[in-house]
Amino acid sequence: MAEQNPEEINATFEELDLLQSEFEDVELELIRKTEALHAPLYKKRAELAAKIPHFWALVLEQSPPELDTFFQPSDSSIFAECLKTVNVSRFELDDPKGSPRSFAIEFGFGENSYFEDKVLAKKFWFRRSSDGWQGHVSEPVKINWKKDQDLTGGLTDAAYNLLQAKTKLAKEDSKAKETTLPEYKALASKIEQSEDASNSFFAWFAFASSYRWVSAEESERAFKVEAERKEKIRKGEKVEEEEEPAYDNEQDFQETEVFPQGDEIAALIADEMWPSAIKYYKHAHEADDEDLSEIDEDFDDEDDSDEEIDIRGLVGKGRNSKSKLSDSPPPKRQRQT
Amino acid sequence: MAEQNPEEINATFEELDLLQSEFEDVELELIRKTEALHAPLYKKRAELAAKIPHFWALVLEQSPPELDTFFQPSDSSIFAECLKTVNVSRFELDDPKGSPRSFAIEFGFGENSYFEDKVLAKKFWFRRSSDGWQGHVSEPVKINWKKDQDLTGGLTDAAYNLLQAKTKLAKEDSKAKETTLPEYKALASKIEQSEDASNSFFAWFAFASSYRWVSAEESERAFKVEAERKEKIRKGEKVEEEEEPAYDNEQDFQETEVFPQGDEIAALIADEMWPSAIKYYKHAHEADDEDLSEIDEDFDDEDDSDEEIDIRGLVGKGRNSKSKLSDSPPPKRQRQT
């Protein structure tokens, strides 16, 4: 390939950059289209799932292995005991200030011995920071644990308390730093203590961000700045080389970061488990009929835990297993070595 | 949850099964929609990529780690030396006998010291077998290696020769078994020999199926049978419990199975790398500007090989790196432990 003029190549890079934002626009349109086509199917699925005992517990059990590793045996017990519904919705689908990428995950529970709540819902807002990060942020969700039943050892409470204290601070327009709040220190020390323990999945409800908190206002501004920059390039105007905008580098956001992979887990639930729930359910169902060990090898091969809870065991044999759901492939053959 | 009548649950299972096929219909419609929206962008991208030296080699270098592990150093050298274009097309998008899931991957090469071909194209047909397997099958592609330059040690030739011999056998309507063909034995013994060697990515061109070969005729029949079964359920008619149809279980398909994960790699190329090529290119490009070790940690963390070829090194410093492509997130922070 011939060497090219650096100026020419720079122009090509700018065009590539614009093209990438066209790809992103298409992506957003596809999310809207997908939602519109899926909506009536999800409604019907919810109706059918309501008639099948433990539908969602079994879906979660057969969920992608990357997700499955985050469920502790006690989490699986709760799911088997009282998980009634799961719902994923895109609540900013047509909001010009929001994003079709934002979503909410809602778990519905029956009466249980762990917490008072009948619904635990967690929102994930897709945001852009002033320094160019893009991703999902969330807010800690309060779980009303019953006495001595908190599976997270106080983590959800501590995270929720900090959120409340921060919100109060912001309202008072105080100059006090977040890091000086007693709630900040309480959460930081709780995280430090629990660093090694494999935590309950329910600690995920305390997740806020894998980067730092980005407010709706900051995000709106950042998206606007970026859109203006693109528009200039499109018109062929000169664009200043971006400076990395300053942000409070002094604060160590990891000090109060709960469940660092919380956004990835949310994406696995919303993008993998949710649209394919029937498939996962069928896997679980067939595992009842067939050689369990063989199926387990197929679907749980990332799972090395001895203490794995068998939800099929927990939910008992209430289901009739004679009607075989068709259309699932035979288990993939293993290469004999 | 109340125990349910087994009859009722069976009826619910059948409805779930029908609903799942509605999800699949939506999926196919979304593939068509996605292709229609992406087509003009892919065209523009190809034009821009043609102006940027080593665009596709750099995209492959930054491709998902699951894919990257299949590139040997000599493969990377070829890409850096002469890979000119990559193209993915869905050639059965509106074919009622085919599937929108079928796709072709085409690599365009310049003059090089390894093989004569200017284009290596591989098709993946989405098919259903009479025994209910669904997936992609392909055909071995002939690579015209230059003398003593075959990176696969004869694997692509042996696989292609078997394909030719099988096709001849089928035309002659011979009763002779495939397994008795000398070409069968030749390929089987070649695979046995190369079992331990980490093979060149180019052996992927010899991939046929991760299950067994499924012909267009078998697939059309199987899809038809399945559609009729669904239609009966839809009408509330009684459907016979499916018997697993017999197939030639005597033959060990693994004996001549080349590159067992070939279909997964194809899917990674078509579904991950292809739509996001600009993003991968940007990662590669930024890696030039920034602290290389930090970026490598981010993108190559599945890569433990000492003999990793640095394509950025191979392609030299011909590119101007001053124009920073924007819109990429700062590298994700690593949790300090």
Side-chain angles (χ1 to χ4, degrees):
Chain A
M1 266 173 247
E3 289 296 301
Q4 247 122 2
N5 178 337
E7 296 270 310
E8 263 173 50
I9 292 186
N10 277 351
T12 310
F13 282 165
E14 285 188 345
E15 284 182 81
L16 214 50
D17 214 4
L18 289 182
L19 184 56
Q20 181 57 23
S21 57
E22 288 184 54
F23 269 100
E24 278 154 27
D25 292 343
V26 163
E27 191 60 34
L28 299 186
E29 190 176 335
L30 286 169
I31 292 176
R32 289 193 193 94
K33 178 82 183 165
T34 305
E35 281 303 297
L37 289 172
H38 276 163
L41 305 187
Y42 288 147
K43 193 166 168 286
K44 203 164 164 186
R45 190 179 67 184
E47 288 163 13
L48 294 176
K51 295 191 211 166
I52 301 174
H54 311 292
F55 180 88
W56 288 107
L58 288 157
V59 168
L60 287 178
E61 186 214 31
Q62 291 291 344
S63 63
E66 308 93 289
L67 184 60
D68 189 54
T69 52
F70 290 99
F71 301 136
Q72 304 300 322
S74 45
D75 302 328
S76 298
S77 300
I78 297 184
F79 295 150
E81 190 185 328
C82 64
L83 178 64
K84 289 197 158 170
T85 58
V86 175
N87 192 46
V88 174
S89 58
R90 304 217 168 240
F91 58 92
E92 296 185 335
L93 213 51
D94 300 302
D95 177 353
K97 291 187 177 180
S99 167
R101 294 188 190 276
S102 297
F103 58 85
I105 303 176
E106 195 182 288
F107 295 88
F109 296 95
E111 194 66 52
N112 69 77
S113 50
Y114 294 90
F115 44 77
E116 304 288 350
D117 311 87
K118 292 292 172 292
V119 171
L120 292 175
K122 193 161 173 64
K123 283 186 163 186
F124 288 84
W125 292 272
F126 187 76
R127 300 221 170 126
R128 183 182 174 97
S129 72
S130 57
D131 48 325
W133 175 84
Q134 289 190 169
H136 287 95
V137 297
S138 186
E139 275 181 2
V141 171
K142 170 88 175 156
I143 301 181
N144 294 290
W145 296 103
K146 292 188 178 173
K147 190 163 181 295
D148 298 330
Q149 296 295 315
D150 183 346
L151 293 173
T152 70
L155 213 47
T156 52
D157 280 346
Y160 184 76
N161 292 343
L162 175 58
L163 173 70
Q164 297 298 99
K166 276 160 72 173
T167 310
K168 193 157 165 274
L169 207 64
K171 271 193 195 141
E172 288 166 356
D173 208 19
S174 156
K175 292 271 170 276
K177 285 207 143 205
E178 177 187 333
T179 45
T180 61
L181 289 168
E183 289 85 355
Y184 184 96
K185 283 165 192 159
L187 178 57
S189 85
K190 196 144 280 288
I191 288 172
E192 209 173 2
Q193 285 160 32
S194 67
E195 194 81 69
D196 296 326
S198 37
N199 219 318
S200 159
F201 167 72
F202 286 87
W204 170 81
F205 284 98
F207 171 83
S209 172
S210 63
Y211 182 58
R212 64 174 168 89
W213 174 252
V214 177
S215 72
E217 293 70 32
E218 176 181 346
S219 181
E220 206 189 320
R221 221 165 26 236
F223 275 123
K224 205 170 149 231
V225 167
E226 178 58 14
E228 286 167 357
R229 202 185 67 84
K230 292 263 161 79
E231 192 49 37
K232 277 193 182 173
I233 300 178
R234 206 167 281 124
K235 288 184 184 161
E237 291 173 25
K238 188 116 190 96
V239 173
E240 311 257 315
E241 201 57 50
E242 286 174 295
E243 289 293 310
E244 294 277 309
Y247 63 91
D248 182 3
N249 245 328
E250 284 162 41
Q251 189 173 336
D252 177 2
F253 299 103
Q254 290 176 357
E255 262 184 14
T256 52
E257 185 184 21
V258 184
F259 224 94
Q261 291 159 287
D263 48 354
E264 290 168 35
I265 290 168
L268 281 170
I269 294 175
D271 301 334
E272 308 270 337
M273 188 214 81
W274 173 247
S276 304
I278 297 181
K279 271 192 218 158
Y280 290 117
Y281 176 74
K282 280 158 75 168
H283 288 324
H285 183 70
E286 277 151 17
D288 252 7
D289 292 353
E290 294 174 28
D291 179 358
L292 271 175
S293 64
E294 191 183 330
I295 298 288
D296 280 349
E297 219 175 30
D298 269 32
F299 296 107
D300 298 341
D301 51 8
E302 302 255 329
D303 179 14
D304 51 354
S305 122
D306 285 335
E307 32 167 19
E308 176 72 357
I309 286 273
D310 174 15
I311 294 196
R312 290 185 300 271
L314 289 174
V315 301
K317 291 288 167 191
R319 292 165 307 114
N320 176 297
S321 332
K322 285 282 152 52
S323 155
K324 191 175 166 211
L325 283 164
S326 73
D327 213 19
S328 73
K332 200 172 162 166
R333 292 163 307 123
Q334 306 289 319
R335 174 161 275 268
Q336 284 122 25
T337 44
Chain B
M1 264 173 244
E3 288 295 302
Q4 249 123 0
N5 178 338
E7 295 271 309
E8 262 173 51
I9 292 187
N10 277 351
T12 308
F13 283 164
E14 284 188 346
E15 285 182 81
L16 214 50
D17 215 2
L18 289 182
L19 184 56
Q20 181 58 24
S21 56
E22 288 184 54
F23 269 101
E24 277 154 27
D25 292 344
V26 162
E27 190 60 35
L28 299 185
E29 191 177 335
L30 285 169
I31 293 175
R32 289 194 193 94
K33 179 82 183 164
T34 305
E35 281 302 297
L37 289 172
H38 276 164
L41 305 186
Y42 287 149
K43 192 166 169 283
K44 203 164 164 186
R45 190 179 67 183
E47 288 163 12
L48 294 176
K51 296 191 212 166
I52 301 175
H54 311 291
F55 180 88
W56 288 107
L58 288 158
V59 168
L60 287 179
E61 185 214 31
Q62 291 291 346
S63 63
E66 310 92 289
L67 184 60
D68 189 55
T69 52
F70 290 100
F71 300 136
Q72 303 300 322
S74 46
D75 302 328
S76 298
S77 300
I78 297 184
F79 295 150
E81 190 186 328
C82 64
L83 178 64
K84 289 197 157 170
T85 57
V86 175
N87 193 45
V88 173
S89 58
R90 304 218 168 238
F91 58 92
E92 295 185 335
L93 214 50
D94 299 301
D95 177 352
K97 291 187 178 181
S99 167
R101 293 188 190 277
S102 298
F103 59 85
I105 302 176
E106 196 182 288
F107 295 88
F109 295 95
E111 193 67 51
N112 68 75
S113 51
Y114 294 90
F115 45 76
E116 304 288 350
D117 310 87
K118 291 293 172 292
V119 171
L120 292 176
K122 192 161 175 65
K123 282 186 165 187
F124 288 83
W125 292 271
F126 187 76
R127 298 218 171 130
R128 183 181 173 99
S129 73
S130 58
D131 48 327
W133 175 86
Q134 289 190 169
H136 287 95
V137 297
S138 186
E139 275 182 1
V141 171
K142 170 90 177 156
I143 301 181
N144 294 291
W145 296 104
K146 291 188 178 174
K147 190 164 180 294
D148 297 331
Q149 296 295 315
D150 184 345
L151 293 173
T152 70
L155 213 47
T156 52
D157 280 347
Y160 184 76
N161 292 344
L162 175 58
L163 173 70
Q164 297 297 98
K166 276 160 73 173
T167 310
K168 193 158 167 274
L169 207 64
K171 273 192 193 141
E172 287 166 357
D173 208 18
S174 157
K175 292 271 172 272
K177 285 206 143 206
E178 176 187 334
T179 45
T180 62
L181 288 168
E183 289 85 356
Y184 184 96
K185 283 164 192 159
L187 178 57
S189 85
K190 197 144 280 288
I191 289 172
E192 210 173 2
Q193 286 161 31
S194 67
E195 194 82 68
D196 296 326
S198 36
N199 219 317
S200 159
F201 167 72
F202 286 87
W204 169 81
F205 285 98
F207 171 83
S209 171
S210 64
Y211 182 57
R212 64 175 168 88
W213 174 252
V214 178
S215 72
E217 294 70 31
E218 177 181 347
S219 181
E220 206 188 322
R221 221 165 25 237
F223 275 123
K224 206 170 149 232
V225 167
E226 178 58 14
E228 286 167 358
R229 201 184 67 85
K230 293 263 161 77
E231 193 48 37
K232 276 192 183 175
I233 300 178
R234 206 167 281 126
K235 289 184 184 161
E237 291 173 24
K238 187 117 190 95
V239 173
E240 311 256 316
E241 202 55 48
E242 285 174 296
E243 289 293 309
E244 295 276 309
Y247 63 90
D248 182 4
N249 245 328
E250 285 162 41
Q251 189 173 336
D252 177 1
F253 299 103
Q254 291 177 356
E255 262 185 15
T256 52
E257 186 184 20
V258 184
F259 223 94
Q261 292 159 286
D263 48 354
E264 290 168 36
I265 291 168
L268 280 170
I269 294 174
D271 301 335
E272 307 269 338
M273 187 213 82
W274 174 246
S276 305
I278 297 180
K279 271 190 218 160
Y280 290 117
Y281 175 74
K282 280 158 76 169
H283 288 324
H285 183 70
E286 277 151 17
D288 252 7
D289 292 352
E290 294 175 28
D291 178 356
L292 271 175
S293 65
E294 190 185 331
I295 298 289
D296 280 349
E297 219 174 29
D298 268 32
F299 296 107
D300 297 342
D301 52 8
E302 302 256 329
D303 179 15
D304 52 355
S305 120
D306 285 335
E307 33 167 20
E308 176 72 357
I309 285 273
D310 174 15
I311 293 194
R312 291 185 299 272
L314 289 173
V315 302
K317 292 287 168 192
R319 293 167 302 114
N320 176 297
S321 334
K322 286 282 152 51
S323 154
K324 192 175 167 209
L325 284 164
S326 74
D327 214 18
S328 72
K332 203 174 157 161
R333 292 163 307 125
Q334 306 288 321
R335 175 161 274 267
Q336 283 122 26
T337 43

